[in-house]
Amino acid sequence: METDEAQRVLPFQLQFDKPLASQIKIAEWNPEKDLLAMVTEDSKILLHRFNWQRLWTISPGRSITSLCWRPDGKAIAVGLEDGTVSLHDVENGKLLRSLKSHSVAVVSLNWEEDGHTTRDEHGSISTYEDRTSRFFPPPPRVPRMPGLVSGDTGFIDDSEDSFQELSNSSQQRFNILCSGDKDGVICFSIFGIFPIGKINIHNFCVPNPLTPLTDAKAECRLLNASVCKVALSKDLCHLIVTCSGELTDDREESESRRVTQHGIHGLHCMVLDTSIFWKRKNELHQVAQQASNIEELVEVIRASLSVMHKQWSDAMHTFHEKFDSLSNLIVDHGLDSCPQEEFLSLLGGARTSPPVHQFLVNSLGEVGVKRVSKAVCGAGKELQLIVLNHLQPAAEIIAFRMGELRGLSRWRARYQGIGLDETLINNATEKAGMILLQVERFIRVLSTVVQQFSNFFNWLLKCIKLLMSEPSDHHLLLYNSELVVIFLKFLYDQDPVKQLLEASEANHHIDIGLETMQRVKELVQFGGFSDFGYLQRTLAKESQQMESSFKEAFLMPFTTISRKILCKDLLPLCPLPPLSSSSSTTIPVSVSYYEDASQSVSSCQSEHLFLDYISFQIPDESLSGIANCIGIVKGFMHDSSSVNKGYTSLEAVLLGVPAGYYCMDLSLYKESQIVLLLNETTAASESSGDASMMIVQTDDLPFVSISRSTGLNYWTLHQLKDSVVHLEMENEKVRNIPHSIAAPLAVSSSRGVACVFAARKRALVYILDEDEDEVSDAE
C-alpha cells in the first residue's frame, strides 16, 4: 500500500510552500513564461517567478475583479470594479492602456489569438506591413508637464519601448480580448487596444430550450443575467459564455408574464457566432493597426495642447500680474487714459507721466522686466519645442495613416463588409489635413507673438535705464519702434496664442478678410478638400472636429461587427439558489477547447475542429437527487448545427465529489483533464482541516448523449441523476494538502504546474506532470 501511495502522489510534487502577506482572490499563470500574477484581497497585483522571487507589485487604486494574460505573455489585462480594463507591461507593471468599455465590474476576461498562419496565393506566410516606419521616425510620445518627475502622470516615459511594442501590432498574430461584466455586457477589442464590438446577452432572442423544438416560434431571453466566464475558441469562430440569469418567454402574448416555474433562474451557457473575426481577420488586422495608432497619436495632440495651454497661461499670468498694476496707478493719479496710451506717449518722446514713471522705476524695475521676459519668451520657446517634437510629428503621421485607411476604404469588396465607410474615412482624412494647416498657422502666430513680446521688453529695459539716469548698456538688445506700436495696439491686452489653444475658445470664430475667403473658395473648386471655413476655426476647435470625425469613422466598424455577432444556442445547465444571482462568480466554472483529431474541417475551415469542454460545480439542492456534484458538458459549440442534421453532439457527465469533501475550485487542464480542488467537510472551521487536489482524465469518463427535445421545467443535466460517476480517492490521482484551501486554483497547462492557496495565507506550488522533473525559471 505504501508503494501505491508513493506512486499516486508522484505527479503532484510540492515545489514551494511560501507565506503570503494577504489572501489571494485571483491568480493566473503567464502562458509563455514561468510567471504567476496574483491579486490580493486589497486589490494589489503581485508578479512572482516560479522560484517565488517577486518582480513587481502595483495597486490600481480600485477593486480588481478579473485578470488574464495576452497570449504572448508580454502584457496582462486587468478588469476593475468600475468597468475599466487596463493593460500592464509584464516587465515592470507600467500602465500601457486603459479602456472604459463597461459601466459595471468586469468579472471575466479572455484573450485569444488566431492559431493559424495565413498564407498568400503563392503559399508564403502572409504578414501585414505597416509602411509608416518607411517614411517617418518613431512616433512622438505624450509630452511631460514641466516640473513633474517620472511617475507623476499617467504618461509613458520616453525611455520605455513597451507601449510602442503594444501599438506595433503588425508583427503580432491577430488576437481578440473579450471582457464580460456582471450586467451581461460583453466587449471585444483587437490587440486589447482597439474596440471592435459590444453585445448585451439580454438582447438575444434564442429558441426556447424550455419548449419542444417543433415550436419554431417559441423564443426566450435572459433577464438579470451576469457573466460568469467568457471563452473564445482558438479559431476565433465561437464564444462560449456561462452566465447566471432568468429565462423568460419572449412571445408577444407572454410579454406581461414571466415563466415562473421552479428552476428557470439558474446557470446557463450560450454560444455566440464570432466567425466574422476569423473570416475578416486580415482586414480587421489592418484597420485596427492604423486606427489604434491614430487614436494614440490623437492623445499626443490632446496632451500637447493641454501642456502648451498650461505653460502659456502661466506665462501670461506672470505678465498680467506685473503689468495690470499700471492701470491702478493711472486711476490713482486721476488720469483718463489706458496703459497702451501711456506707453505710446513714452515711445513718442513726450513727457513721462507720473504713473508710468512710478510703474517702470519702482514697481517693475529692470529685474522685473527680465523676469517677465524670461517667463514669456521661455514659454514661447517651450511651446515651439512641443510643436516641433510632439504636435506636428503626430499630426503628420495621423495624416499618413488616414491616407492608408482611405485607400483601404475604396476596396469596397473587402472592407465595406466590416464597416469601413469610404465617405466617413474621406471626411476624417480631410480633417487630418486641416489640423496640419492649423499647426502651421499656430507656429507662425506663436513666432510672431514671441518676437513682439521680446521687442517690447527690450524697449522697456531701454526706457528704465533712461528714467533711472543710468548709462546705457551696450549689451542691451536693439528694438523696433514700429513693432512696439503694433504690440501695444494689438497684443498688449489680447492673447491670440491662448485663443488658439484654450478649449473654452474653441467656438470662437477668427475674423478673415472677404478677399481671403474668396480665394479659399476658389481653391475648393480645384478639388482636394471641401472645407473652406477652416481659417475661421481655432487650433482647439480643429482638434475637436478631427477627433469627432475619427470617432464617427471608427464607430462604423464597431457597430457593424457588433451586429454580426449572433447567438447560436442557449443551454440551461442547472438552477441556482436565489442568493447566487448576486454572487455568480463564486460558482467554480471552467471552459476550455481541445482539438478533436477525429474531425478534419470546422465551419471556419481550420485544420482541426475544436471540441469545447464546460465544467462547473452544481450547487447543492439545486437539482433533486443530485448533491455535491460537478457537471462536465462537451460538444455544445456545434450542437445546434448537429441537431439540424438529425443528431446531437452534446454529451455530459456528472461527477460525484468523494464523500467527506466539497469542491472549492476546478480547472480544465491539458489533454482533456480536469483538476479539482477539494476541502474536507469535517473541518471545525474554514481555516482548519486538510484538503486534496485531484486530476481526472475526462477521456475515461462515460459521457452520455443529451437530448435537446424538452418540455417546461427542464434542466439538461437532470436526466443524468441516475448515472452519476462517483469519484473515489483511491482510484484517482490525488495529493493530500495539509491545509484547508481557498479559491482560486491557478493551473498552467504549458508548464504543468498548479498553485493553490491555503486559508492561512500560504501559497503551495505543485508539479502536475510525471515527466516534469523541473520547471525552468524563465528570465
Side-chain angles (χ1 to χ4, degrees):
M1 291 296 295
E2 294 181 359
T3 302
D4 294 340
E5 179 70 15
Q7 292 177 350
R8 185 154 51 89
V9 300
L10 182 62
F12 306 94
Q13 297 177 9
L14 177 64
Q15 286 293 109
F16 298 105
D17 184 350
K18 300 290 185 178
L20 294 167
S22 179
Q23 195 63 41
I24 302 299
K25 64 178 183 178
I26 306 172
E28 292 287 343
W29 287 97
N30 187 297
E32 294 295 327
K33 302 178 181 180
D34 294 326
L35 301 174
L36 177 64
M38 297 172 288
V39 179
T40 62
E41 289 289 350
D42 55 353
S43 287
K44 292 180 180 178
I45 305 178
L46 318 176
L47 187 69
H48 283 242
R49 294 183 186 273
F50 181 74
N51 63 5
W52 216 247
Q53 174 192 1
R54 183 179 298 185
L55 297 181
W56 48 258
T57 302
I58 60 173
S59 179
R62 289 158 288 177
S63 178
I64 299 173
T65 51
S66 54
L67 198 73
C68 84
W69 288 96
R70 197 169 77 175
D72 63 4
K74 294 182 179 180
I76 189 168
V78 180
L80 302 177
E81 190 176 33
D82 65 352
T84 300
V85 177
S86 59
L87 307 184
H88 297 263
D89 183 18
V90 66
E91 297 296 332
N92 48 31
K94 289 286 187 180
L95 178 66
L96 302 177
R97 178 70 71 90
S98 183
L99 295 176
K100 188 70 165 63
S101 303
H102 302 264
S103 58
V104 294
V106 180
V107 295
S108 181
L109 290 167
N110 176 241
W111 209 333
E112 195 64 54
E113 70 178 2
D114 175 35
H116 301 284
T117 303
T118 304
R119 298 183 180 272
D120 58 22
E121 58 184 3
H122 303 293
S124 302
I125 297 177
S126 177
T127 58
Y128 168 58
E129 179 191 7
D130 184 2
R131 302 191 303 163
T132 311
S133 60
R134 289 188 183 185
F135 307 101
F136 296 94
R141 301 294 179 87
V142 171
R144 190 176 302 282
M145 191 73 71
L148 295 182
V149 297
S150 177
D152 287 344
T153 71
F155 303 147
I156 301 299
D157 291 339
D158 290 339
S159 60
E160 295 176 1
D161 297 324
S162 53
F163 181 80
Q164 185 176 356
E165 188 277 331
L166 179 72
S167 297
N168 184 18
S169 52
S170 59
Q171 302 303 319
Q172 292 183 34
R173 287 182 181 270
F174 182 71
N175 61 69
I176 301 286
L177 174 63
C178 306
S179 57
D181 66 32
K182 66 178 184 179
D183 279 354
V185 175
I186 300 173
C187 296
F188 306 86
S189 57
I190 301 176
F191 307 120
I193 58 178
F194 181 63
I196 195 59
K198 184 176 184 177
I199 57 101
N200 191 325
I201 59 179
H202 300 97
N203 296 334
F204 288 125
C205 289
V206 297
N208 195 334
L210 307 181
T211 59
L213 293 179
T214 54
D215 189 356
K217 295 182 180 181
E219 292 183 332
C220 68
R221 288 181 184 269
L222 274 174
L223 295 181
N224 303 319
S226 177
V227 173
C228 297
K229 186 80 68 175
V230 292
L232 192 64
S233 63
K234 298 182 184 300
D235 56 9
L236 308 182
C237 289
H238 298 89
L239 178 75
I240 287 182
V241 183
T242 58
C243 56
S244 63
E246 181 180 359
L247 278 175
T248 62
D249 195 335
D250 197 55
R251 288 176 291 187
E252 293 183 2
E253 60 270 21
S254 303
E255 285 185 354
S256 61
R257 63 179 180 86
R258 293 184 179 181
V259 181
T260 57
Q261 285 82 359
H262 172 72
I264 300 304
H265 174 78
L267 182 66
H268 309 280
C269 186
M270 304 177 73
V271 58
L272 307 184
D273 181 1
T274 58
S275 58
I276 184 67
F277 294 138
W278 187 89
K279 295 174 181 177
R280 296 294 186 182
K281 62 183 178 181
N282 293 332
E283 294 88 342
L284 291 171
H285 188 147
Q286 296 179 54
V287 172
Q289 168 73 28
Q290 298 293 354
S292 60
N293 279 278
I294 287 172
E295 289 182 347
E296 203 51 44
L297 292 168
V298 167
E299 175 60 30
V300 172
I301 290 179
R302 188 187 305 117
S304 297
L305 294 177
S306 176
V307 172
M308 291 162 63
H309 174 259
K310 175 67 167 57
Q311 288 188 268
W312 188 254
S313 296
D314 290 345
M316 288 296 98
H317 176 74
T318 302
F319 174 79
H320 290 293
E321 188 179 34
K322 280 292 184 182
F323 282 80
D324 286 353
S325 61
L326 177 58
S327 299
N328 298 329
L329 290 175
I330 293 174
V331 173
D332 293 342
H333 284 79
L335 299 179
D336 186 16
S337 61
C338 64
Q340 294 95 312
E341 294 173 349
E342 294 295 328
F343 279 131
L344 287 173
S345 178
L346 177 62
L347 180 66
R351 184 178 62 87
T352 305
S353 65
V356 171
H357 188 282
Q358 181 180 349
F359 171 73
L360 293 179
V361 175
N362 300 330
S363 300
L364 185 62
E366 184 179 350
V367 175
V369 172
K370 291 181 177 179
R371 187 173 72 86
V372 177
S373 176
K374 181 179 179 180
V376 175
C377 297
K381 292 180 180 178
E382 289 294 328
L383 262 63
Q384 289 174 338
L385 289 176
I386 293 176
V387 171
L388 294 176
N389 296 332
H390 300 274
L391 181 61
Q392 191 172 38
E396 290 172 348
I397 298 176
I398 285 176
F400 178 82
R401 290 190 177 277
M402 284 307 307
E404 296 282 85
L405 283 177
R406 186 181 186 186
L408 296 179
S409 68
R410 294 186 174 184
W411 195 349
R412 299 183 183 90
R414 290 188 61 180
Y415 290 91
Q416 196 171 36
I418 63 170
L420 199 63
D421 185 86
E422 184 178 359
T423 302
L424 295 178
I425 292 296
N426 285 343
N427 178 58
T429 305
E430 181 171 306
K431 293 299 181 184
M434 293 304 170
I435 199 72
L436 275 174
L437 296 178
Q438 293 284 8
V439 170
E440 291 287 346
R441 178 169 69 171
F442 178 81
I443 292 175
R444 292 196 299 270
V445 171
L446 177 63
S447 177
T448 300
V449 169
V450 172
Q451 181 186 10
Q452 294 276 13
F453 266 105
S454 178
N455 184 76
F456 175 67
F457 292 136
N458 291 337
W459 172 69
L460 285 182
L461 285 174
K462 183 74 173 180
C463 292
I464 292 174
K465 289 283 186 181
L466 293 175
L467 292 174
M468 297 179 67
S469 299
E470 294 183 358
S472 178
D473 191 345
H474 295 290
H475 297 290
L476 288 178
L477 297 176
L478 299 178
Y479 65 90
N480 186 309
S481 299
E482 294 181 0
L483 293 181
V484 174
V485 174
I486 294 174
F487 175 85
L488 292 173
K489 286 186 175 182
F490 301 104
L491 293 178
Y492 184 86
D493 58 354
Q494 299 181 38
D495 192 349
V497 174
K498 178 183 176 182
Q499 184 184 84
L500 292 174
L501 292 175
E502 194 170 31
S504 61
E505 300 288 341
N507 293 323
H508 176 81
H509 289 283
I510 300 174
D511 293 331
I512 302 297
L514 295 178
E515 183 180 353
T516 301
M517 288 298 298
Q518 184 60 35
R519 289 180 179 177
V520 173
K521 291 180 180 179
E522 292 174 357
L523 289 175
V524 171
Q525 298 177 3
F526 289 96
F529 67 99
S530 59
D531 183 4
F532 58 84
Y534 68 93
L535 289 176
Q536 296 177 302
R537 293 193 293 270
T538 66
L539 178 59
K541 181 65 174 179
E542 200 68 63
S543 176
Q544 290 179 358
Q545 289 197 3
M546 182 187 69
E547 287 191 47
S548 177
S549 67
F550 289 169
K551 288 179 180 178
E552 186 180 12
F554 299 151
L555 181 62
M556 186 61 70
F558 179 89
T559 304
T560 302
I561 298 300
S562 298
R563 291 171 179 169
K564 295 188 177 184
I565 299 174
L566 305 174
C567 181
K568 291 180 62 177
D569 205 354
L570 183 144
L571 181 69
L573 297 176
C574 66
L576 296 176
L579 292 178
S580 296
S581 60
S582 61
S583 58
S584 58
T585 54
T586 60
I587 302 172
V589 177
S590 181
V591 181
S592 190
Y593 299 88
Y594 303 106
E595 289 187 353
D596 187 358
S598 63
Q599 302 288 338
S600 58
V601 180
S602 73
S603 59
C604 287
Q605 298 184 359
S606 56
E607 297 177 2
H608 297 279
L609 177 66
F610 291 97
L611 187 63
D612 56 283
Y613 280 75
I614 307 162
S615 61
F616 54 95
Q617 182 186 28
I618 301 175
D620 290 343
E621 300 180 359
S622 61
L623 290 173
S624 60
I626 299 177
N628 201 18
C629 284
I630 295 168
I632 304 178
V633 177
K634 69 175 182 178
F636 173 55
M637 185 168 60
H638 300 289
D639 187 57
S640 59
S641 57
S642 300
V643 170
N644 294 333
K645 297 176 182 178
Y647 66 94
T648 179
S649 62
L650 186 66
E651 297 180 324
V653 66
L654 290 182
L655 303 180
V657 176
Y661 289 88
Y662 63 97
C663 181
M664 284 298 297
D665 203 355
L666 52 83
S667 177
L668 287 162
Y669 186 50
K670 61 183 179 181
E671 298 174 357
S672 304
Q673 296 175 334
I674 181 172
V675 182
L676 305 178
L677 204 54
L678 309 175
N679 255 350
E680 284 187 343
T681 58
T682 56
S685 65
E686 292 185 359
S687 60
S688 63
D690 291 348
S692 293
M693 183 166 56
M694 174 187 295
I695 286 188
V696 179
Q697 185 69 38
T698 58
D699 289 343
D700 300 334
L701 297 176
F703 280 88
V704 178
S705 295
I706 300 297
S707 173
R708 300 295 297 279
S709 58
T710 74
L712 284 175
N713 213 18
Y714 171 82
W715 291 96
T716 300
L717 299 182
H718 195 271
Q719 56 188 298
L720 300 179
K721 66 178 182 178
D722 296 328
S723 56
V724 176
V725 177
H726 294 281
L727 300 175
E728 300 292 341
M729 305 294 280
E730 295 78 11
N731 299 330
E732 307 296 338
K733 295 180 180 180
V734 178
R735 171 63 185 255
N736 178 261
I737 302 174
H739 304 278
S740 178
I741 49 86
L745 166 65
V747 175
S748 171
S749 296
S750 60
R751 301 299 173 186
V753 295
C755 184
V756 300
F757 301 94
R760 292 182 175 179
K761 298 181 181 180
R762 300 197 68 83
L764 297 90
V765 178
Y766 294 90
I767 294 180
L768 300 180
D769 293 343
E770 294 183 27
D771 57 348
E772 195 77 37
D773 295 330
E774 61 178 283
V775 178
S776 61
D777 184 17
E779 291 295 332

